[in-house]
Amino acid sequence: MVGEDVLRESGVPYTIVRPCALTEEPAGAELIFDQGDNITGKISREEVARICVAALESPYVCDKTFEVKSVIPFSEPYTVDPENPPPEKDYNVYFQTLKDGITGKESLEQTAVPV
């Protein structure tokens, strides 16, 4: 998180994407976006790449930090039927729900015990 803090404090516009465990599965599964460093799961590398490309052109992710995972459990492989591929996602639908100022450090600060 130190590197993230340096980036946030630099004054340069940023987007910090924290994917869960990366898989070789195809993109297309339903996704969960969250903030606060509190989700675990898996997501395909292909999906993360698509999210990052979409973030480059989105006004909704500037100066935001978020986590993302698919809804598919680790125990279930995700496959795509080539005859019926999933529709392309509009990631701005997810990006619009992101809040300012949530980094994941908030939960650490709440549980910290003063010494």
Side-chain angles (χ1 to χ4, degrees):
M1 286 190 162
V2 173
E4 292 180 5
D5 290 341
V6 170
L7 180 59
R8 285 185 197 100
E9 294 166 8
S10 72
V12 174
Y14 68 87
T15 301
I16 297 172
V17 181
R18 294 182 184 150
C20 288
L22 298 172
T23 71
E24 297 299 327
E25 296 170 340
E30 290 298 316
L31 301 174
I32 296 173
F33 280 63
D34 201 356
Q35 292 176 281
D37 200 21
N38 56 18
I39 64 172
T40 59
K42 68 178 184 176
I43 186 168
S44 82
R45 285 177 167 83
E46 180 183 0
E47 194 81 63
V48 173
R50 291 179 182 188
I51 290 166
C52 290
V53 169
L56 291 171
E57 297 182 343
S58 176
Y60 302 109
V61 293
C62 187
D63 299 336
K64 305 270 175 61
T65 301
F66 64 91
E67 295 83 43
V68 60
K69 73 173 188 170
S70 77
V71 299
I72 310 298
F74 276 108
S75 59
E76 295 178 26
Y78 177 71
T79 59
V80 171
D81 176 2
E83 298 296 318
N84 189 22
E88 290 291 319
K89 288 185 180 68
D90 177 1
Y91 295 104
N92 277 321
V93 170
Y94 299 99
F95 295 159
Q96 288 178 30
T97 66
L98 301 174
K99 307 280 188 269
D100 289 328
I102 300 176
T103 65
K105 294 177 74 170
E106 300 81 15
S107 61
L108 295 174
E109 292 166 1
Q110 292 170 358
T111 58
V113 177
V115 207

